Amino acid sequence: MHWRKFAALLPLIAIALPAFAQTADELVAKNLAARGGADRLAAIHSMVSKGEVRLPGDFKLTYTETRERLGGSDCAVRVEAAIEGLTLIQAYDGTGAWRVNPFEGRKDAEHMGADEARELADQGSIDGALLAARAKNSQVDYLGREDIDGTDAYKLRVTQPDGTVFTYYLDPDAYLEIKILERRTIRGAEKETETDLGDYERVGGVYFPFSSASGPKDSTDKQVITIESANANVPVAPETFAMPATPVASSK
């Protein structure tokens, strides 16, 4: 190329460079800032969210999720979904997970497998897999940009030490998550889940999605969670996450 023609292209190249100058670390930092910043996020020690979960077939249940930091990015979590006096419970206490599923005729708590426990632990993280990546020795890679329903989103891959992979899609203006793909192994079989996120609201000065729709990748069957209220740093009883030795009483 003649040097004059090359010189004429330099301004165009300079304009285009910022679109390609993003790195994984820069995008993680922008996401953290968009959420509310490191200090505000670390200041959230517990969080209780309440709302509704709608299952495929338009079954609606009341929904309560309780999360509490155990130290650093590790959290305990308890999820309850109730309808007509029956309450499904799943909980992770920091070492293992358990469930009570009265819809299968069971009132006693039962242990969940190690793979399911890790899945629930990731779900219950206050920080999320992206912002907890450094603390958990996960690898974060920038994969460029991808169109998500008309939005040219930034794409980041988080690879955890156990092989679980999260792909985050960030809004190019707000730098908040709009979609997450999750790939993990459950009892020897690969499981892929996609979650669409939206309706962000501040809780304790930090933005959290109040709407999420999740289900198997490329499936139209979605579980939709709508949060109606959420509070940070509320007292949580020590036994909240502990596996009960006796049958759990049904909700009223």
Side-chain angles (χ1 to χ4, degrees), residues 17-58:
L17 278 176
F20 298 97
Q22 302 282 3
T23 67
D25 287 344
E26 288 170 343
L27 287 170
V28 172
K30 289 182 177 181
N31 174 251
L32 177 58
R35 292 282 306 277
D39 291 342
R40 286 178 177 172
L41 185 60
I44 296 180
H45 302 296
S46 67
M47 182 171 168
V48 177
S49 305
K50 296 183 178 182
E52 176 185 87
V53 56
R54 188 172 73 248
L55 305 177
D58 205 32

Side-chain angles (χ1 to χ4, degrees), residues 20 46 49 52 54 57 86 94 97 100 115 123 128 149 153 158 169 177 179 199 203 209:
F20 298 97
S46 67
S49 305
E52 176 185 87
R54 188 172 73 248
L86 298 176
V100 176
D115 293 336
Q123 174 187 333
D149 298 327
V158 179
Y169 297 88
E177 305 95 306
K179 189 183 192 74
D199 296 334
V203 182

Side-chain angles (χ1 to χ4, degrees), residues 62-108:
T62 60
Y63 180 85
T64 303
E65 183 179 61
T66 303
R67 293 181 269 183
E68 184 174 46
R69 286 193 192 274
L70 300 173
S73 294
D74 294 330
C75 296
V77 60
R78 177 179 174 129
V79 177
E80 299 183 13
I83 186 174
E84 296 180 356
L86 298 176
T87 304
L88 171 68
I89 304 171
Q90 291 185 320
Y92 173 77
D93 63 4
T95 58
W98 55 274
R99 71 161 64 90
V100 176
N101 190 353
F103 300 104
E104 293 182 351
R106 300 174 180 174
K107 293 184 178 180
D108 293 330

Side-chain angles (χ1 to χ4, degrees), residues 2 14 16 42 69 75 96 118 121 135 156 163 175 186 194 196 218 220 231:
H2 194 277
R69 286 193 192 274
C75 296
R118 284 192 291 271
L156 290 166
Y175 291 98
I186 302 290
E194 64 179 7
D196 297 313
D218 299 325
T220 57
N231 294 285

